[in-house]
Amino acid sequence: MAARLPASFIGSFLARSTPRQTCRFTRSAVTTTRWSQQFPSKSIRAYSSEAAPAPAPLYAKLKGDLKTAMRAKDAPRLAVLRAVLAAVLNASKTSQPIETDAQLVALLRKTARASQEAADQFRAADRGDLVEKEESQIRVLEEYVAGSGVQSVDEAELKDMVLAVQSELAAEGVDAKMGEVMKKLLGPGGRLDGKDVEKTTVARIVKQVMGAKA
């Protein structure tokens, strides 16, 4: 309900106002009253945006494990979780956010490769302490990959899938070029959609299979 001005205030204002000011005040009061009557405050609601999608199960686990690692002062796990969660946050601000378990597994594998490269460099520099630090983080990353529940695909399975896709494209009358085969494999609903597989590995296998058939 709109607040009302005391009668004494209105009377005092009108007594001291010029005719033009009085007219403006009266019009404003009438407009406010009409608005309040037509659109009472209780009928005006702010519509919230649609609820955000639930986070991927693996992401929820990583966030939960971060708190546990902090309490346990588990340095290797803390370093891994902070790095991975920061990467997910950064990706959320781009056109390629990380939203699925399969995408998270790909990130974990990428992080593990970076740690392995760092460990190799430290080993060459005779820095055993830093080698152990990187390798301990690699073990944590591999633990999460293994427990992710995301299906892995080996090279033999990949070759069978590539051959099957080539046959499907041929039956559809589509020229089975490498780009078409990759799109069919990795696209939404494709044979590799949601699976733990590296795009570079898929590309290599596709080239091998297509080269063998040429």
Side-chain angles (χ1 to χ4, degrees):
M1 182 180 293
R4 295 183 178 179
L5 296 173
S8 59
F9 175 85
I10 297 173
S12 175
F13 180 88
L14 295 177
R16 291 183 284 105
S17 302
T18 64
R20 180 175 294 181
Q21 289 175 324
T22 301
C23 182
R24 288 177 178 172
F25 176 81
T26 304
R27 285 202 303 268
S28 177
V30 171
T31 302
T32 302
T33 301
R34 287 177 178 173
W35 178 269
S36 300
Q37 290 174 345
Q38 294 178 21
F39 303 100
S41 58
K42 65 181 180 179
S43 67
I44 300 175
R45 299 180 182 178
Y47 288 91
S48 60
S49 59
E50 294 183 2
L58 181 55
Y59 178 78
K61 177 175 174 53
L62 295 178
K63 291 209 68 171
D65 286 359
L66 177 64
K67 298 178 181 178
T68 303
M70 290 175 68
R71 288 194 294 267
K73 297 181 179 180
D74 186 341
R77 194 172 300 272
L78 265 177
V80 165
L81 293 173
R82 283 172 173 162
V84 171
L85 293 175
V88 173
L89 178 60
N90 290 336
S92 70
K93 302 173 184 177
T94 70
S95 60
Q96 295 181 317
I98 296 173
E99 299 176 330
T100 67
D101 280 354
Q103 290 173 320
L104 262 175
V105 168
L107 174 61
L108 293 172
R109 289 194 180 280
K110 180 179 178 181
T111 306
R113 285 197 301 271
S115 289
Q116 186 60 62
E117 291 173 1
D120 292 342
Q121 292 175 2
F122 291 138
R123 187 175 291 106
D126 198 22
R127 291 297 307 273
D129 56 330
L130 296 180
V131 170
E132 175 55 31
K133 179 181 177 182
E134 295 296 333
E135 289 183 342
S136 63
Q137 293 180 17
I138 292 172
R139 288 192 290 270
V140 173
L141 289 161
E142 291 176 343
E143 173 191 324
Y144 282 116
V145 170
S148 66
V150 177
Q151 181 183 349
S152 297
V153 181
D154 60 31
E155 293 195 3
E157 291 174 308
L158 273 177
K159 289 179 181 178
D160 290 339
M161 290 181 182
V162 172
L163 290 170
V165 166
Q166 284 183 313
S167 298
E168 290 174 4
L169 291 172
E172 296 170 3
V174 178
D175 187 7
K177 294 181 179 179
M178 181 173 178
E180 290 294 332
V181 174
M182 293 283 290
K183 182 178 179 181
K184 191 89 170 176
L185 287 168
L186 297 169
R191 294 172 183 267
L192 295 176
D193 185 23
K195 292 183 173 58
D196 174 21
V197 62
E198 296 284 348
K199 288 185 179 180
T200 53
T201 303
V202 177
R204 177 170 56 81
I205 297 299
V206 170
K207 285 181 180 179
Q208 286 180 2
V209 173
M210 296 184 72
K213 292 188 68 175

